[in-house]
Amino acid sequence: MSPMEPIEVIDSHTEGEPTRVVLNGWPEPAGSTMAERRDFMKREQDHLRRGVVNEPRGHDAVVGALLTAPERVEAVAGVVFFNDVGYLGMCGHGLIGVVRTLHHLGRVQPGHLELDTPVGPVSAELSPDGAVTIRNVASRLHRANVTVTVPELGEVTGDVAWGGNWFFLTELPGVSLELAHRGELLRLTMLIRDALDANGVTGSDGEWIDHVELFGAPTRSDADSRNFVLCPGTAYDRSPCGTGTSAKMAALHGKGHLAIGQRWHQESIVGSMFTGWLELAGDALIPHIQGAAYITGRATLLFDRNDPFRFGLS
Ligand code: PYC
C-alpha cells in the first residue's frame, strides 16, 4: 500500500521545552479566523495532531505548532499550538520556538513580527543575538485566594489566572521543586487539578483549568522564583512556561506585588529562565516574555498505511 503524504517539521527547544513546527504536508485547515481553523483541526485533522506529537514519533512534552495563513494582513503567519492531548490557546515557549524556526528558514530577519493565534494577535522581537521577546495576549487575575480541598494535601489556596491558557497558581510548603521529584510533583499537581474540577473551580465562562503551577524559592541568584508547571495531560513544562509566567505576573500585579515594567525572572524546574514584564495598554495587561530557543532537528515524518500506530499510540 502506498504511504500517505509525508509531513515536514523543524524541531527546537525553548529553555528545555520542545516545539515541533509543521512546515508542510498538513492540509490547510478551513476557516477564516484562527479559532475556526483550530476547531476544524479538532474536528477533521485530530489524527494528524496525534501522529505528529505523540509516541512513537514524539512524546508527551512535545508541543506542535501548525503554521497557517495569517488572519491579519500585517501578520507573517497564523499558528495553532497543540500537544499530546489537545490544543493550546497560546504557547509562550512555542511562540519563541516558532520565531527561531522562521529565522532559521530565512523567512524572517531580526526585528519585529506579528503573528495570529486562536486566542488573539501576538507579536515578537527577534534580536540579532537570537534572543526572542514575545508580546502575549492580555492576561488577568481572575480569582485570588481560592481554597480547594485536595485529597492527601488538605486545603490548598491559590489564584486562578489567564495567560493565554488557564492556570491555578499555588505554593505547597514542604514540597521541594526539584527535577528529581518530578514524578511526585506531577502526581500532586494532578490531584489539585482534579480537585478544582470536582469543586467547579474554573476560568471565566466555565473554562477548564488545565494547567497547575507550583512556585517556590529559586536556586539561581538571578531569578525571583522557581516553578513546576503541569500542562494539559500528564506532562510538565521543562521551560518556565510563557503563558504560565504571564498568568503569574498578572496575579502578582493584581495583588500589588509587581509594578508595570518591573522585571520578573522565572526559573523553571530544569534551571532555565524567562525574563518577563507587564505593559499597560489601555486597561489591558500585556505580558512580555524573553527567552532563547535552539534548533535541534529537521525531519520528514512518514506515515505508512500498514502501520497501526501511524497516528500515535493514543
Ligand atoms: O510556554 O506557554 C507555554 C507553554 C504552555 C504549555 C507548554 N508550554
Side-chain angles (χ1 to χ4, degrees), residues 17 63 88 90-94 165 211 231-232 237 239 241-244 274:
E17 178 77 349
V63 170
L88 297 162
M90 229 299 280
C91 181
H93 95 268
N165 296 296
H211 292 73
C231 298
D237 199 330
S239 85
C241 193
T243 52
F274 281 154

Side-chain angles (χ1 to χ4, degrees), residues 12 43 46 56 137 149 152 161 170 180 211 222 249 262 301 305:
S12 62
R43 268 193 331 271
D46 204 51
V137 295
T149 304
E152 283 186 46
T170 191
H211 292 73
D222 54 353
M249 293 192 298
Q262 187 182 338
L301 308 182
R305 286 188 200 279

Side-chain angles (χ1 to χ4, degrees), residues 66-98:
L66 177 67
L67 299 179
T68 70
E71 209 178 301
R72 297 169 300 149
V73 281
E74 63 270 37
V76 292
V79 55
V80 180
F81 293 106
F82 51 92
N83 73 353
D84 61 323
V85 294
Y87 299 81
L88 297 162
M90 229 299 280
C91 181
H93 95 268
L95 192 66
I96 293 172
V98 165

Side-chain angles (χ1 to χ4, degrees), residues 22-139:
V22 176
L23 299 180
N24 49 51
W26 184 314
E28 181 84 13
S32 52
T33 66
M34 293 309 298
E36 285 171 7
R37 290 173 194 155
R38 186 240 358 247
D39 292 347
F40 180 88
M41 290 164 67
K42 266 190 204 171
R43 268 193 331 271
E44 309 288 339
Q45 300 181 322
D46 204 51
H47 58 294
L48 296 180
R49 172 188 66 76
R50 286 183 272 112
V52 167
V53 293
N54 284 9
E55 292 183 48
R57 286 185 199 81
H59 56 84
D60 66 355
V62 177
V63 170
L66 177 67
L67 299 179
T68 70
E71 209 178 301
R72 297 169 300 149
V73 281
E74 63 270 37
V76 292
V79 55
V80 180
F81 293 106
F82 51 92
N83 73 353
D84 61 323
V85 294
Y87 299 81
L88 297 162
M90 229 299 280
C91 181
H93 95 268
L95 192 66
I96 293 172
V98 165
V99 172
R100 197 66 194 82
T101 297
L102 291 173
H103 181 248
H104 175 78
L105 293 168
R107 294 192 194 168
V108 300
Q109 296 309 315
H112 181 86
L113 58 151
E114 296 279 332
L115 296 117
D116 292 326
T117 78
V119 291
V122 292
S123 65
E125 291 292 328
L126 172 64
S127 302
D129 68 358
V132 179
T133 304
I134 61 160
R135 185 176 187 270
N136 195 3
V137 295
S139 299

